[in-house]
Amino acid sequence: FLSIGIIHPVLPSPFLVVLKRRYSLSSSVCSAVLIFVMSGADEPERNNMMMCCAACGIAGVDDVKLKDCTACYLVKYCSVKCQRDHRPKHKRACKKRAAELRDELLFKQNESSHLGDCPICCLPLPLGRENSTIMECCSKTICDGCYGANMIREQEQKLKHTCPFCRNPAPESSEDVEKNLIKRMEVNDAAAIFQMGWRMFHHEKDYKSSFEYYSKAAALGDIESHFQLSILYRDGVGGWR
């Protein structure tokens, strides 16, 4: 809003137009007055001041429908003619804001995904399973960035390998992995129950047990289990359709 009439007059209001026409004031002076008025207004009042055509200043009321500039969404227009007339003044600011919006769309970090966040760095887990690691001790899924950073720290300090989340020693055998998995399942850890269902399906080929584990994990809110159940129903594996 501080650029009104000073850098580029892209957001005039009926109040600004009246000042210009009645008192023959410059855009800079009118803008200073408008900014002063807006500084004492709350958010809804400021929004109402800006609900006007950027070219002619007509307010958006019931019989006047204003449309946003679809490139930058900074200004509104009452007609195509006003948009064309105002284009030379608005073009520079429009291109700048459109580029900013494009960068935000391309490079903005997603807030989260269905896989959740890494419990260490709290960033969204990558969608590819190959870019994260499930820890056998605590059933936490760690992004490879945090997992690799922990490995580097242990190598530099010559430490024994531990889980980057719970700091428990890594299982030394498949029997230890099995014990940790069962221990997590006993406390209704949905991730651990899903892992058991995955193991039964892909390694043991026990589709009935896999279905039961997936169903229990899904009831606990595990999204991956819901997806695997949908595949079982779709393909009819184990007799379910």
Side-chain angles (χ1 to χ4, degrees):
F1 292 152
L2 293 178
S3 62
I4 303 173
I6 300 175
I7 300 176
H8 51 78
V10 296
L11 294 174
S13 73
F15 179 67
L16 181 58
V17 173
V18 169
L19 286 178
K20 284 184 177 181
R21 294 176 178 176
R22 181 171 298 181
Y23 300 103
S24 300
L25 299 177
S26 65
S27 297
S28 299
V29 175
C30 294
S31 300
V33 175
L34 180 60
I35 293 170
F36 175 77
V37 173
M38 292 178 61
S39 63
D42 55 18
E43 189 66 26
E45 290 176 345
R46 287 195 295 269
N47 292 337
N48 289 334
M49 290 180 184
M50 294 300 104
M51 292 295 292
C52 58
C53 177
C56 65
I58 188 172
V61 292
D62 294 338
D63 56 339
V64 178
K65 302 297 182 182
L66 302 178
K67 294 184 178 180
D68 292 307
C69 173
T70 55
C72 65
Y73 296 97
L74 284 175
V75 295
K76 298 177 182 293
Y77 297 104
C78 63
S79 65
V80 176
K81 182 180 181 301
C82 280
Q83 186 174 8
R84 290 174 180 171
D85 293 343
H86 191 250
R87 183 62 182 171
K89 298 179 180 179
H90 176 57
K91 184 176 180 180
R92 189 173 182 179
C94 183
K95 285 187 175 181
K96 180 181 178 181
R97 181 54 183 163
E100 292 174 352
L101 292 175
R102 180 177 178 275
D103 290 343
E104 290 177 6
L105 183 63
L106 288 176
F107 304 112
K108 181 181 179 181
Q109 179 71 45
N110 291 331
E111 293 182 359
S112 187
S113 70
H114 68 284
L115 298 176
D117 300 336
C118 173
I120 297 178
C121 65
C122 298
L123 292 176
L125 288 169
L127 297 179
R129 281 292 188 179
E130 67 276 5
N131 298 320
S132 58
T133 303
I134 300 178
M135 308 309 300
E136 294 87 355
C137 49
C138 56
S139 298
K140 296 295 184 181
T141 302
I142 310 297
C143 71
D144 281 355
C146 292
Y147 188 84
N150 183 61
M151 293 287 291
I152 294 173
R153 180 186 65 86
E154 292 172 344
Q155 291 175 1
E156 291 178 347
Q157 301 180 16
K158 298 181 180 180
L159 301 174
K160 186 178 180 180
H161 180 54
T162 59
C163 172
F165 181 78
C166 66
R167 301 302 184 189
N168 286 325
E172 298 179 355
S173 63
S174 58
E175 288 78 11
D176 292 338
V177 173
E178 190 78 19
K179 289 180 181 178
N180 288 335
L181 188 61
I182 294 175
K183 186 183 297 184
R184 297 303 306 168
M185 290 173 58
E186 290 176 351
V187 295
N188 287 331
D189 189 319
I193 297 173
F194 167 77
Q195 291 181 56
M196 182 61 75
W198 180 272
R199 181 180 302 181
M200 288 295 174
F201 184 88
H202 292 279
H203 300 289
E204 305 295 335
K205 305 300 180 182
D206 186 351
Y207 302 124
K208 182 177 180 181
S209 297
S210 175
F211 179 84
E212 293 175 355
Y213 285 122
Y214 283 153
S215 298
K216 185 175 182 180
L220 293 171
D222 186 77
I223 298 178
E224 286 290 327
S225 297
H226 280 284
F227 176 68
Q228 295 300 327
L229 284 174
S230 69
I231 295 178
L232 290 178
Y233 281 115
R234 183 196 65 187
D235 298 339
V237 179
W240 293 282
R241 276 203 179 274

